[in-house]
Amino acid sequence: MDVGKVIDTALKLIDDVGVQALTLRMLADALGSGTATLYRHFAGKDELLAHVVDRILGGVRLTPEAVKGLTWREAVTVGAEALYETLRRHPNALPLLVSQVPVGPNGLVNRERAIGLLLGFGFPIDLAARAFTAIGHYVVGFAIQQHGPGAAQTDDQPQLRDYYRSLDPATYPATTAAA
Amino acid sequence: MDVGKVIDTALKLIDDVGVQALTLRMLADALGSGTATLYRHFAGKDELLAHVVDRILGGVRLTPEAVKGLTWREAVTVGAEALYETLRRHPNALPLLVSQVPVGPNGLVNRERAIGLLLGFGFPIDLAARAFTAIGHYVVGFAIQQHGPGAAQTDDQPQLRDYYRSLDPATYPATTAAA
DNA sequence: ACCTGAACACCGTTCAAGT
DNA sequence: ACCTGAACACCGTTCAAGT
């Protein structure tokens, strides 16, 4: 049993049941082994989840050719959209992205490409690094807002809307009107 | 023992040991009672944490007078800064803000004030609601990036910097140069 | 009526024992 | 050498029993 199979299975389970509900026993069962076996590949649950995050970031497809001949604003937009498209495929895993700084190989490759890209546009290096971090956080935040396990499924939005609408309009006029 | 005391103690413990480490037993001990007693006030841990979030949001100080005579851009900036100043006082509680939609009374008051403010500047109501959500997520994301329990204390930043610097410059030239 | 000790089912993690 | 059943200390939650 290789490490990749473990990570893939973990990601699949997270997509299905949510990151909160993922259990090492559940993962071991899905792999046909016991929990103790997992510790032969990972130091603990946190390390496993870090690998899952890097696995997700490996799905970001952004070739250098795709940004050829673009202005820096266009290139940043293309990059942000590539990240967003990857994140939206794993809404249940989004909480992992905000609680971790991605230090895995795939995360580093993305960081390298993005910062290199900005340098190519003449950005000073410290600004490039800061901009990368800020944009990354913004995209993750936006993805969580759009998808993301606020409560449950896609019916979460209407639920919340109904809740706002049920408030006293005298106390919360703007909120109820907006709902 | 009133509910407010429980929430205050929970927030204090979170500030001290982090949201991950907070335990109902720990909280009960700090209050001089048992875990079962907590369930007389809250349906479960999630509900308690929702109250903690609302307690934090109650600390946002933004009087209508503070935004008198400002342009909408200035007013939004003042509001965002008021939220940021509150959040930075509770770095260990920040993960709660991203995993919850704040539906407590204080959160709703903030929402009401902010949306009402934007309406006063002539914003269409659906745009005002969307802008409020987007800005809220952006501020939370920024606060997590600046403070926030990525790994540990304030020495996390230097640690990460050292890690980036330790990478192979041949493979990651831009990342190592930026560090 | 209000509180709570003690139990329940579960978790992540470890380790001695198996092959 | 590699794997793992069974245990460990702990968690959130419940409930019968106390006052």
Side-chain angles (χ1 to χ4, degrees), chain A residues 84 91 94-95 98 139-150, chain B residues 98-99 137:
Chain A
Y84 177 72
L94 290 180
V98 355
V139 172
V140 170
F142 185 71
I144 284 192
Q145 167 189 338
Q146 292 294 320
H147 329 282
Chain B
V98 357
S99 59
H137 271 274

Side-chain angles (χ1 to χ4, degrees), chain A residues 23-25 39 45:
Chain A
T23 276
L24 293 188
R25 275 159 234 265
Y39 286 80
K45 198 185 187 185

Side-chain angles (χ1 to χ4, degrees), chain A residues 5-69:
Chain A
K5 181 71 185 291
V6 179
I7 297 170
D8 283 355
T9 308
L11 178 53
K12 212 164 295 176
L13 284 173
I14 289 172
D15 285 341
D16 284 351
V17 305
V19 73
Q20 268 284 352
L22 177 73
T23 276
L24 293 188
R25 275 159 234 265
M26 186 187 305
L27 175 58
D29 280 355
L31 291 165
S33 69
T35 57
T37 309
L38 298 172
Y39 286 80
R40 294 200 45 71
H41 301 296
F42 307 99
K45 198 185 187 185
D46 287 350
E47 187 178 304
L48 169 68
L49 293 179
H51 283 264
V52 169
V53 166
D54 201 60
R55 174 68 224 281
I56 293 173
L57 292 180
V60 178
R61 289 287 159 252
L62 183 59
T63 60
E65 293 79 28
V67 295
K68 207 73 173 179

